Amino acid sequence: SGTYHTDEIELTCRENVGCIDRLISKGEGLKVVETIREFSIEGKACKATPIIFALSICCRCNDHKTKDAAYKILSDVCRIPTHLFEFIKYCQDVNPNGDGWGRAHRKGVSMWYENYRNKKGGIPLLAFHMTKYKSRFGFTHRDVFRLCHIKTDNDALGYLVYHFCRNQNQTDINWSEHLELAKQKEGFEQSELKKVIDLLQVFDDAKNCHNEEMMKRMILEHHPYLVREHVPTELLNSKKVWEALMRFMPMTAMIRNLGKMSSLDLLESDSFGEGLTVDKLTSKELLKTAMVHPITLLVAKKAYSKGQSESKKQRLNWQVNPKVRDALKEAFYVTINHVETTGKRYLLAICMNGS
């Protein structure tokens, strides 16, 4: 038909990271790990995939100091479950001895969940992330809990493990009895365990909601915890639901969904949605806090300006709003200033042979 599609080749080849193997063999593995962490937390890379792939190489190497250092930064680099699942997949792909889970790997992955105790938001934030990103790259949280043999002395995290693994006979604690004892303790109403239980109930209620008005009220009442991923598929074409979602949508999620919101006429000229979107896209503080990469905005501007999506899952058409398009362009130039120059020269070589 004259129409062709191409996808990027998946990162699986060890030859792509020969430089990392050479640096580790020279005793510079700790410097590699430090560089990986720097590029991740400072938002220097457009996508997380190459960084996660590089980290998996370090975690599966034979140098113990490099391996220990790499597992210690796992929570810094893999900030959401999607990243963790991708990391686990790459660890299996790059391990020449099969996909077994050694002690270091089990401990490192278990600590990824435990480290939420030290993050702002704590275990309730983990509950939010686990329900938002339930499965990716062929893994679910239940699979990961089973493979890493997670054990914890934290009640809130323990309840999360129970919630995701129940009916599978994979938990040693009888949580029905444990929960009754926990409820009798002083301070239970203000505890993380109570917050996690309440949040999981909200997520279950949202999953079983089939009324757009009720869904809208739930989103407005429980923001920022109820997001698009918690909304049932049948309600994702509801204008009322998206009106509620867009009010509290994070920057990157908003950029990703500009076409969808325009297709529902939420970004019409002089509308509330237009004003909100333009204000967020032109806010230097929000762009810097969200660590939006300029290439992400350039791609978003090109995609939005087409007025239609090329997604294989769902084809959308929308009326391009000139103010939103110009705001994306302005945001691109703002974020350019956030990227530090390397001071290096680059050669871009293109192979043009027949193969």
Side-chain angles (χ1 to χ4, degrees):
S1 63
T3 302
Y4 300 90
H5 292 274
T6 183
D7 293 312
E8 60 182 331
I9 298 174
E10 187 179 359
L11 272 173
T12 55
C13 185
R14 191 73 182 238
E15 296 172 5
N16 291 335
V17 287
C19 58
I20 294 180
D21 290 326
R22 289 193 296 273
L23 286 165
I24 293 174
S25 65
K26 290 179 182 178
E28 297 187 53
L30 295 180
K31 188 175 180 181
V32 172
V33 173
E34 182 184 332
T35 304
I36 290 171
R37 183 179 183 276
E38 174 192 337
F39 269 70
S40 179
I41 64 173
E42 295 183 13
K44 291 185 176 182
C46 181
K47 291 189 176 183
T49 293
I51 293 177
I52 294 170
F53 186 59
L55 181 64
S56 69
I57 295 292
C58 295
C59 287
R60 288 304 207 185
C61 72
N62 294 321
D63 183 74
H64 293 299
K65 289 184 178 179
T66 302
K67 180 184 286 189
D68 290 344
Y71 276 116
K72 284 180 181 177
I73 69 165
L74 181 59
S75 293
D76 295 331
V77 176
C78 299
R79 290 182 286 275
I80 57 175
T82 299
H83 296 160
L84 177 69
F85 293 146
E86 190 172 18
F87 167 78
I88 292 171
K89 175 186 177 297
Y90 283 142
C91 282
Q92 293 187 352
D93 291 341
V94 303
N95 186 10
N97 301 318
D99 57 1
W101 283 56
R103 182 183 298 174
H105 195 55
R106 292 198 306 270
K107 181 181 177 182
V109 173
S110 295
M111 286 306 299
W112 184 89
Y113 290 96
E114 287 277 2
N115 285 339
Y116 267 83
R117 296 164 67 172
N118 305 320
K119 292 184 179 182
K120 184 180 179 180
I123 302 301
L125 176 64
L126 175 61
F128 166 65
H129 280 167
M130 287 177 65
T131 53
K132 183 179 179 181
Y133 312 101
K134 292 182 179 179
S135 63
R136 299 286 192 280
F137 300 97
F139 290 97
T140 65
H141 292 286
R142 179 185 294 165
D143 297 331
V144 176
F145 287 151
R146 176 176 54 83
L147 290 165
C148 73
H149 304 167
I150 190 168
K151 292 180 176 64
T152 179
D153 58 359
N154 181 275
D155 282 349
L157 178 55
Y159 184 79
L160 269 179
V161 176
Y162 160 74
H163 180 82
F164 279 85
C165 294
R166 59 186 173 186
N167 302 324
Q168 297 294 314
N169 298 319
Q170 293 173 350
T171 49
D172 298 327
I173 301 175
N174 185 332
W175 261 96
S176 297
E177 296 179 5
H178 188 86
L179 191 56
E180 289 302 318
L181 291 173
K183 287 179 179 179
Q184 296 172 15
K185 292 181 181 178
E186 186 178 351
F188 171 74
E189 291 298 323
Q190 290 76 41
S191 67
E192 276 197 331
L193 175 58
K194 178 67 163 62
K195 292 177 183 176
V196 167
I197 293 172
D198 291 345
L199 268 180
L200 291 175
Q201 185 60 55
V202 169
F203 298 143
D204 284 342
D205 291 344
K207 183 175 66 176
N208 296 315
C209 178
H210 305 289
N211 181 279
E212 59 181 12
E213 282 289 351
M214 188 179 296
M215 190 75 245
K216 180 179 179 179
R217 286 199 300 271
M218 289 181 67
I219 293 168
L220 295 175
E221 181 182 349
H222 297 290
H223 76 86
Y225 287 110
L226 271 186
V227 293
R228 185 184 65 84
E229 287 80 1
H230 295 117
V231 177
T233 306
E234 65 196 74
L235 296 180
L236 283 176
N237 286 321
S238 166
K239 185 175 180 178
K240 292 181 180 180
V241 170
W242 277 93
E243 280 176 348
L245 287 173
M246 72 183 300
R247 289 174 180 268
F248 314 107
M249 198 171 282
M251 179 69 78
T252 50
M254 184 194 73
I255 293 170
R256 247 188 344 260
N257 288 289
L258 288 174
K260 178 67 177 180
M261 291 189 291
S262 290
S263 71
L264 295 171
D265 299 326
L266 287 170
L267 302 183
E268 290 181 318
S269 180
D270 298 323
S271 66
F272 167 79
E274 179 198 66
L276 177 66
T277 303
V278 171
D279 286 346
K280 290 175 75 171
L281 286 173
T282 53
S283 169
K284 295 180 181 180
E285 292 76 16
L286 287 177
L287 288 168
K288 191 166 187 177
T289 303
M291 295 193 299
V292 182
H293 198 280
I295 298 297
T296 301
L297 287 158
L298 181 63
V299 171
K301 177 185 174 297
K302 296 289 185 183
Y304 180 73
S305 298
K306 289 180 179 179
Q308 63 179 28
S309 70
E310 297 177 357
S311 171
K312 297 175 182 177
K313 294 182 179 179
Q314 184 182 21
R315 192 166 187 85
L316 293 175
N317 293 282
W318 60 83
Q319 187 71 35
V320 177
N321 184 313
K323 290 184 179 179
V324 173
R325 181 189 59 207
D326 293 342
L328 284 167
K329 183 178 180 180
E330 182 181 335
F332 168 72
Y333 287 109
V334 168
T335 52
I336 280 287
N337 296 323
H338 299 162
V339 180
E340 295 180 22
T341 177
T342 62
K344 297 179 181 179
R345 298 173 66 190
Y346 291 86
L347 168 67
L348 176 61
I350 303 175
C351 176
M352 299 295 291
N353 66 16
S355 61

